Amino acid sequence: MKELDMLVVGAGFAGIYQLYKAREAGLRVKVLEMGDGVGGTWFWNRYPGARCDVESLDYSYSFSRELEEEWEWSERYATQAEILRYINHVVDRFSLRPDIELNTKVVKAHFDEKANVWEVQTEAGEVYRARYLVMATGGLSVPQRPSLEGLDSFKGRWHHSARWPNEGVDFSGRKVVLIGTGSSGVQMVPVIAEQASHLTVLQRTANFSVPAHNVPFTPQALKAAKARYPERRAMGREAITGQFLNANTKTAAEMTEQEQMAELEYRWRGAGGGFRMLRTFADQMSNPETNRLVAEFARKKIHEIVKDPRKASILTPKDDLPFGGKRLSVDSNYYETFNKPHVDIVDVGAEPLVCATETGIRTTKQDIDCDDIVFATGFDALTGALKAIDLRGEGGLTIKEKWEQGPVSYLGLFISGFPNLFVVAGPGSPSVLSNMVHSIETHVDWIMRLLKHAQQHGVQRIGATQEAEDAWVQRCADEAAKTLYPKAKSWYMGDNIDGKPRLFMPFVAGVPLYRRIIEEVASNNYQGLQMS
Ligand code: NAP
């Protein structure tokens, strides 16, 4: 049995920064990580084409000016491999590795109410006791795959995007079927198409994807960007998603038709690109008329790019999907790839998957032969990782019971009935709607401030009150109801998992407001928390 002040679960961006800050504060701390390397998302998602769709200069730690200065990003949007190198560099630079236990899966965490500590057990049977338990388990870390009957009898290979083999997969000369057209599928299609002799993409729901306009950094461009780093970070902090996207502050109605088109074109083309498209108009995610303008513009672009009208029509999102309602994909040549004769798209919304066969996939209308099946079918988002653990709070209450109707929390950080437990960038916080690294730093800094306060006041147990949690859950629901997000069937709403309660899980009103709220809570003597 090992006694600690803090135990952190997960060695992704969140766990690593939590370790750094806890050590700086002099706590006895360990990180337990189930993978055999650090990096979280960037450790597991090694599929071809994987890269971050938040710009590298923003999707990186801001806590160390030296780190910012010395790390040289090679592209506007870094590849998975580069981000993994960066995380490993951070771990070594700050000598964090000795406090990270790899290949260590947490299976059980029970709160000991008498001692006010968490007792945590790993799959190998090791036991840790720690005053504080930090769940840095990631919002998209539990892969989801359809239970395809017959997959065992399939004679070829199959892989999931989030469990990609370390050594890579060679698709040269092979017939490939790829299932799923979210961000992972959209990134993989152009890259797999370069190798495969034939690629068939099975799409259930067409979603919007926008061009990334990724470019390599020239040394001059990187130098110039770094010179303005503090300014860039400050602008990011005040942007709704925690990264500067040059948001238009005007509603569509405040602009002429010509101005609207110019704004849309700017965001679609080279100077803009990526998530800038989500900030074309101030009322884009709240006003259906405005959203339709953007959606219509993107639909026309798809038809301009994809030459075959049949393929273009399948790839074009339907009228009932708000632009951005499902998480926007950011691509490099996704739609263009369908102009290649050996790349096809099948609408498995219209002709659903039936099963796998020995030689491929069967839909209700056809058999598609292939050598490889690639699942890009997503995750049990935001709640999956916590629910996978036998996590029990006061009175033996399990997290599954607590979250039966959906993930309730106070500030997305605390779960009432689970004292001394913190969730980093979890449901009820901006999390997946924001630049994750920024949100992680915000949470960890705030947690450390709270723990300093607790130490100064001899506090041993910190928990959210039921009233504070209820009010926060209501606030999150009210904010989501003002937007178009609930109109889409999406993983944000839990729609991709059978039986998952339908509610919008992140806090939607933006990073700056969220930060002000948690600041206010802290300066109001940690209102909503019980400390004893
Ligand atoms: P996803 O967005 O959930 O997409 C899963 C895809 O699989 C959807 O197209 C879905 O169709 C399809 N699917 C699921 N079950 C299916 C079934 N039984 N039959 C047919 N199709 C099925 O998953 P993801 O692409 O892995 O992305 C998840 C999230 O990870 C992203 O939204 C993003 O937040 C993050 N991500 C980020 C990056 C990055 O660049 N930073 C890259 C990849 C992923 P439906 O739409 O019909 O459900």
Side-chain angles (χ1 to χ4, degrees):
M1 168 131 44
K2 292 174 187 153
E3 305 266 353
L4 297 165
D5 299 312
M6 178 186 280
L7 191 68
V8 182
V9 188
F13 268 97
I16 286 165
Y17 185 51
Q18 181 61 76
L19 170 60
Y20 170 76
K21 291 301 282 185
R23 267 202 357 201
E24 189 185 56
L27 301 187
R28 291 171 304 158
V29 54
K30 285 265 179 236
V31 178
L32 306 185
E33 164 58 53
M34 71 174 183
D36 69 357
V38 300
T41 279
W42 303 104
F43 173 84
W44 295 105
N45 288 268
R46 303 159 181 261
Y47 59 81
R51 64 173 73 242
C52 188
D53 51 18
V54 175
E55 293 179 41
S56 318
L57 287 166
D58 303 312
Y59 193 88
S60 48
Y61 292 117
S62 70
F63 69 86
S64 161
R65 190 78 185 94
E66 295 75 33
L67 175 64
E68 280 180 345
E69 276 304 318
E70 75 199 13
W71 186 262
E72 302 274 303
W73 291 110
S74 66
E75 292 177 85
R76 183 180 185 189
Y77 297 96
T79 60
Q80 169 270 335
E82 188 169 9
I83 301 173
L84 196 57
R85 279 200 301 280
Y86 169 77
I87 300 179
N88 275 284
H89 167 74
V90 172
V91 166
D92 291 328
R93 191 191 190 287
F94 297 99
S95 310
L96 301 173
R97 223 171 274 278
D99 287 323
I100 303 172
E101 303 288 341
L102 300 175
N103 300 306
T104 305
K105 185 173 176 180
V106 169
V107 290
K108 208 181 199 184
H110 292 183
F111 187 62
D112 176 340
E113 294 185 53
K114 286 205 184 90
N116 290 321
V117 298
W118 280 93
E119 188 161 303
V120 175
Q121 195 181 312
T122 70
E123 202 170 39
E126 276 178 304
V127 177
Y128 293 80
R129 284 174 68 82
R131 166 106 332 134
Y132 301 113
L133 181 60
V134 179
M135 305 307 288
T137 39
L140 295 155
S141 49
V142 178
Q144 158 75 4
R145 179 174 65 73
S147 49
L148 255 195
E149 210 178 295
L151 192 57
D152 289 345
S153 64
F154 174 57
K155 296 262 191 284
R157 307 175 298 189
W158 67 264
H159 300 291
H160 190 286
S161 56
R163 289 292 179 270
W164 208 257
N166 220 340
E167 63 280 9
V169 178
D170 185 4
F171 291 109
S172 302
R174 295 174 71 92
K175 281 187 285 186
V176 181
V177 162
L178 183 148
I179 307 174
T181 53
S183 302
S184 305
V186 160
Q187 288 186 335
M188 262 192 276
V189 164
V191 183
I192 294 181
E194 279 173 19
Q195 281 193 339
S197 65
H198 196 274
L199 171 63
T200 309
V201 179
L202 308 189
Q203 172 198 275
R204 187 168 62 181
T205 315
N207 188 20
F208 293 98
S209 185
V210 297
H213 298 300
N214 185 32
V215 283
F217 273 125
T218 61
Q220 297 87 326
L222 194 58
K223 197 168 168 214
K226 282 187 179 179
R228 296 182 57 223
Y229 227 142
E231 195 187 331
R232 184 185 182 109
R233 296 286 194 192
M235 290 197 304
R237 271 196 295 278
E238 287 314 313
I240 190 156
T241 51
Q243 79 209 88
F244 180 66
L245 295 172
N246 206 4
N248 183 5
T249 52
K250 287 187 185 162
T251 63
E254 289 167 333
M255 301 168 79
T256 64
E257 250 176 68
Q258 228 177 2
E259 287 168 338
Q260 290 171 353
M261 280 314 291
E263 192 69 34
L264 284 160
E265 284 290 349
Y266 150 70
R267 281 162 200 279
W268 186 274
R269 288 180 190 284
F275 288 130
R276 280 170 182 72
M277 204 74 211
L278 283 175
R279 304 282 153 229
T280 311
F281 304 110
D283 58 341
Q284 178 169 338
M285 277 319 285
S286 54
N287 182 340
E289 296 285 302
T290 303
N291 190 282
R292 205 165 297 129
L293 264 178
V294 186
E296 211 32 60
F297 175 87
R299 279 196 281 263
K300 271 201 194 120
K301 289 288 183 196
I302 299 168
H303 277 273
E304 277 169 29
I305 301 169
V306 182
K307 303 302 173 208
D308 176 338
R310 180 190 64 85
K311 291 183 189 175
S313 151
I314 294 174
L315 285 160
T316 303
K318 304 261 187 309
D319 291 351
D320 59 354
L321 178 68
F323 183 94
K326 266 174 162 347
R327 206 266 197 183
L328 189 66
S329 294
V330 178
D331 71 86
S332 297
N333 297 321
Y334 176 61
Y335 294 119
E336 288 82 350
T337 301
F338 290 94
N339 290 330
K340 297 186 173 181
H342 72 294
V343 181
D344 200 4
I345 180 113
V346 171
D347 180 356
V348 290
E351 48 168 297
L353 295 173
V354 175
C355 61
T357 64
E358 282 189 16
T359 55
I361 288 280
R362 180 167 300 156
T363 74
T364 50
K365 287 205 179 141
Q366 57 180 316
D367 278 356
I368 307 166
D369 282 353
C370 62
D371 305 307
D372 294 278
I373 301 171
V374 175
F375 292 96
T377 45
F379 302 87
D380 184 355
L382 289 162
T383 56
L386 260 65
K387 281 178 141 184
I389 296 171
D390 172 13
L391 185 61
R392 291 169 198 244
E394 288 167 338
L397 180 70
T398 67
I399 192 70
K400 282 193 190 139
E401 290 160 348
K402 177 76 186 181
W403 280 3
E404 204 181 352
Q405 303 301 320
V408 292
S409 77
Y410 178 45
L411 306 173
L413 269 164
F414 304 92
I415 305 163
S416 156
F418 293 73
N420 294 359
L421 178 137
F422 311 112
V423 185
V424 181
S429 76
S431 62
V432 288
L433 293 180
S434 68
N435 170 6
M436 272 296 214
V437 185
H438 173 72
S439 288
I440 284 165
E441 287 187 324
T442 304
H443 266 177
V444 169
D445 290 345
W446 196 90
I447 290 168
M448 293 314 296
R449 228 169 97 192
L450 168 66
L451 296 191
K452 192 170 173 195
H453 171 93
Q455 194 192 15
Q456 283 165 351
H457 293 82
V459 170
Q460 298 201 346
R461 189 193 285 219
I462 309 169
T465 66
Q466 190 57 55
E467 300 74 56
E469 184 173 88
D470 292 345
W472 184 250
V473 169
Q474 191 57 49
R475 172 91 194 253
C476 290
D478 292 347
E479 295 291 354
K482 294 180 203 162
T483 73
L484 300 172
Y485 283 106
K487 299 219 179 304
K489 276 180 82 177
S490 70
W491 61 255
Y492 292 141
M493 299 289 301
D495 286 314
N496 65 329
I497 303 291
D498 286 344
K500 196 161 169 170
R502 191 165 200 276
L503 60 95
F504 191 76
M505 292 184 278
F507 175 75
V508 74
V511 161
L513 175 63
Y514 178 79
R515 218 184 25 252
R516 277 193 283 282
I517 294 171
I518 60 173
E519 283 296 322
E520 232 175 83
V521 166
S523 48
N524 268 338
N525 204 20
Y526 294 99
Q527 192 182 14
L529 295 181
Q530 247 167 3
M531 304 206 208
S532 54

